[in-house]
Amino acid sequence: SVLRQIAALDDSVLRDTLGPEAPRRLWRLAALYAGLTPLYSGSPGEAFAEQHRPAFDYWEDGWEYNGLHYRLLAWRFPDHELADKAAWELSKLRQVYECEGEVACVISAQLSPARVFLERFPASPLATDAVRRANEAFDSTLAIGAHLEPGDLWVVDSAAIRVLIAGYAMKKALAEFAGVKRRFTL
């Protein structure tokens, strides 16, 4: 069963956290944990999520895998062949945030995973996809304003949005520079 596989891999990783097999075990654990979610309140999986709380976040009516094993792989083993892939998978996980209609907060929450990825792995072949996703964070969030009903809470703080754009532009430039550098060093 999946739970037995998780238990065996968890045990192996705990016994050998930095060994040569640890990255592949973390990769497999991440895939198994991610495949379990969402785990809804009152479901049999809720007990598992509560027992493995560092790997799950509670949101609304259930538990979501937060990417713990992807994060451990990418941060502990940044030069491993799976590191950028783990960071990329981490960036694709559902983000848990509450912004109460503040546009800069929504953009920041959606932009953050791509920005973190670009900071850690600007030379990755996946950097182009991260830039696309970051662009989408701006485009999709700002497009929401056109579909609001009168009285909907939607706070546009242009100064805060400009700060996000400036920070993102720097990360994008670094990723593009790394891509150019990579093309010339092949």
Side-chain angles (χ1 to χ4, degrees):
S1 88
V2 171
L3 297 181
R4 275 190 283 210
Q5 289 179 44
I6 287 173
L9 284 167
D10 270 338
D11 186 54
S12 295
V13 168
L14 284 173
R15 281 188 281 116
D16 189 17
T17 60
L18 297 174
E21 289 302 311
R24 294 205 185 285
R25 289 176 180 149
L26 288 166
W27 178 261
R28 181 69 182 133
L29 271 170
L32 291 170
Y33 272 81
L36 293 175
T37 60
L39 300 171
Y40 296 103
S41 295
S43 73
E46 182 175 30
F48 178 83
E50 288 176 348
Q51 289 172 338
H52 298 85
R53 202 171 184 91
F56 292 94
D57 292 329
Y58 186 80
W59 192 63
E60 288 184 0
D61 63 347
W63 298 85
E64 293 280 340
Y65 176 60
N66 62 24
L68 173 68
H69 304 94
Y70 289 132
R71 191 176 308 106
L72 291 172
L73 168 52
W75 276 229
R76 280 187 189 166
F77 305 96
D79 297 324
H80 192 274
E81 66 186 77
L82 292 172
D84 67 331
K85 292 171 186 64
W88 180 245
E89 290 301 318
L90 179 64
S91 79
K92 294 182 343 186
L93 293 175
R94 181 177 175 189
Q95 299 297 306
V96 177
Y97 59 89
E98 294 208 20
C99 293
E100 303 298 329
E102 292 185 28
V103 175
C105 174
V106 174
I107 292 171
S108 180
Q110 292 180 7
L111 178 65
S112 181
R115 189 186 72 234
V116 169
F117 177 85
L118 290 170
E119 287 172 357
R120 302 284 301 203
F121 299 99
S124 169
L126 298 166
T128 302
D129 292 329
V131 169
R132 274 192 212 104
R133 182 168 318 134
N135 289 343
E136 180 62 23
F138 286 99
D139 294 344
S140 64
T141 304
L142 294 173
I144 291 170
H147 305 288
L148 295 175
E149 298 292 324
D152 285 346
L153 181 61
W154 196 244
V155 179
V156 179
D157 179 349
S158 60
I161 293 171
R162 280 194 297 275
V163 168
L164 291 173
I165 291 169
Y168 165 62
M170 178 60 71
K171 302 303 180 241
K172 181 179 174 186
L174 288 172
E176 288 169 352
F177 173 74
V180 168
K181 184 177 167 186
R182 187 175 58 244
R183 282 196 299 269
F184 288 114
T185 58
L186 290 177

